[in-house]
Amino acid sequence: MLVLITGATAGIGKSCAEIFAAQGHHLILCGRRKERLDTIKTELEKKHKVNIHTLSFDIQKQTEVQEAIHSLPADLKNIDVLINNAGLAAGLSSIQDGKLEHWEQMIDTNIKGLLYITKHVANLMIPNKRGHIINLGSIAGKEVYANGNVYCATKHAVDALNKAMRIDLLTHQIKVTAIHPGMVETEFSIVRFDGDEERAKKVYQGMQPLRPEDIAETIYWAATRPAHVNINELTIMPSVQATATQVIRH
Ligand code: 8X3
């Protein structure tokens, strides 16, 4: 398979790159941080017999997304799986105190960026009459919690778009899946709290969160079901987390 992963420089995206490469799948890795993409490409090509192409661009900018996808050589346009992983939470504040730049960044990445790349890649998949789009949602797309407002709204949008894509792409035989994780320890909370590592650490204190590879393994499983099987959506939580806010800590 040829698999395009957005947000591939860290966390769940990077874990997906590792797991798909280990199984011999060729990759197109997308992200903003070019050096990180190059390092991952070198490491994975050395370890596994795979070809890795990197695309460094800002998914928030529709012209950059279009140019990146158009720049792919013909043989790399036959994408089998699109993993819409790029996304972030910025801030954890009430509506009245929220920072507009945080809201813009989350809406532009989690919703608009996902839409831009999906449109281009879906149009590459349609003539092939096959493909699979895997959207990274969140428990925040299923529930709303205090101060989560805009982040939760963007993930609710991903949940809606996941269902909408499945309807629109049905006649083109393109599968659409959403994976909704609960707490996963990645750079997620460090980014959410503007680099405050101490505050980020506290989020996972006294509990065992999911690891990025737990989610990546599930994505790999969903992507490798037989042609007649589609996983519509899965919500995956740490065993000690029942809802977005109920967690057992020791
Ligand atoms: C991340 C899960 O609960 O921190 O998408 O919002 S949560």
Side-chain angles (χ1 to χ4, degrees):
M1 292 193 297
L2 175 60
V3 183
L4 187 150
I5 306 170
T6 68
T9 54
I12 294 169
K14 181 165 177 263
S15 266
C16 285
E18 286 161 358
I19 286 175
F20 279 84
Q23 299 301 322
H25 301 291
H26 303 300
L27 304 175
I28 301 167
L29 302 182
C30 307
R32 266 184 309 183
R33 294 170 286 192
K34 190 177 179 319
E35 308 75 54
R36 282 216 198 179
L37 289 174
D38 290 342
T39 309
I40 297 169
K41 171 182 159 75
T42 311
E43 273 174 19
L44 293 180
E45 282 184 337
K46 210 189 283 172
K47 263 202 214 61
H48 310 291
K49 278 205 173 72
V50 291
N51 298 322
I52 298 184
H53 188 85
T54 61
L55 291 175
S56 163
F57 63 92
D58 183 353
I59 202 162
Q60 300 176 79
K61 309 253 164 66
Q62 58 159 308
T63 49
E64 288 193 29
V65 177
Q66 181 171 333
E67 278 163 22
I69 299 299
H70 285 178
S71 77
L72 287 171
D75 59 321
L76 292 183
K77 286 197 162 125
N78 289 317
I79 296 164
D80 297 291
V81 181
L82 163 62
I83 303 178
N84 272 329
N85 165 70
L88 79 159
L92 187 67
S93 303
S94 63
I95 281 285
Q96 60 276 24
D97 293 331
K99 285 192 186 157
L100 292 187
E101 58 271 30
H102 281 161
W103 295 358
E104 305 282 1
Q105 196 188 4
M106 289 188 281
I107 292 167
D108 289 354
T109 307
N110 302 3
I111 307 177
K112 290 164 75 179
L114 177 140
L115 284 169
Y116 298 151
I117 197 145
T118 299
K119 177 175 165 63
H120 290 297
V121 175
N123 277 308
L124 296 177
M125 288 174 168
I126 285 170
N128 295 338
K129 289 203 172 303
R130 63 159 210 281
H132 193 167
I133 298 172
I134 302 182
N135 295 307
L136 262 295
S138 169
I139 188 64
K142 298 285 175 186
E143 299 175 32
V144 177
Y145 51 85
N147 301 323
N149 45 61
V150 177
Y151 177 66
C152 294
T154 65
K155 289 298 183 178
H156 276 68
V158 173
D159 189 30
L161 288 169
N162 182 66
K163 292 171 185 151
M165 284 178 202
R166 190 175 312 112
I167 296 167
D168 294 352
L169 297 171
L170 179 66
T171 51
H172 300 289
Q173 295 165 47
I174 296 170
K175 297 186 191 186
V176 180
T177 297
I179 305 292
H180 298 287
M183 294 167 79
V184 186
E185 190 163 14
T186 59
E187 291 174 5
F188 176 85
S189 290
I190 299 172
V191 172
R192 171 173 251 175
F193 300 131
D194 281 330
D196 184 340
E197 296 196 16
E198 281 312 302
R199 194 170 169 203
K201 234 190 248 162
K202 286 202 184 109
V203 174
Y204 309 107
Q205 226 160 39
M207 56 91 62
Q208 170 71 64
L210 296 167
R211 303 161 304 157
E213 52 268 39
D214 297 321
I215 301 302
E217 278 167 10
T218 309
I219 291 171
Y220 182 77
W221 173 80
T224 52
R225 291 311 80 217
H228 69 287
V229 178
N230 183 57
I231 306 301
N232 282 2
E233 59 179 284
L234 283 174
T235 303
I236 309 172
M237 309 289 274
S239 309
V240 293
Q241 183 182 15
T243 70
T245 51
Q246 282 173 294
V247 180
I248 302 286
R249 297 180 196 263
H250 54 259

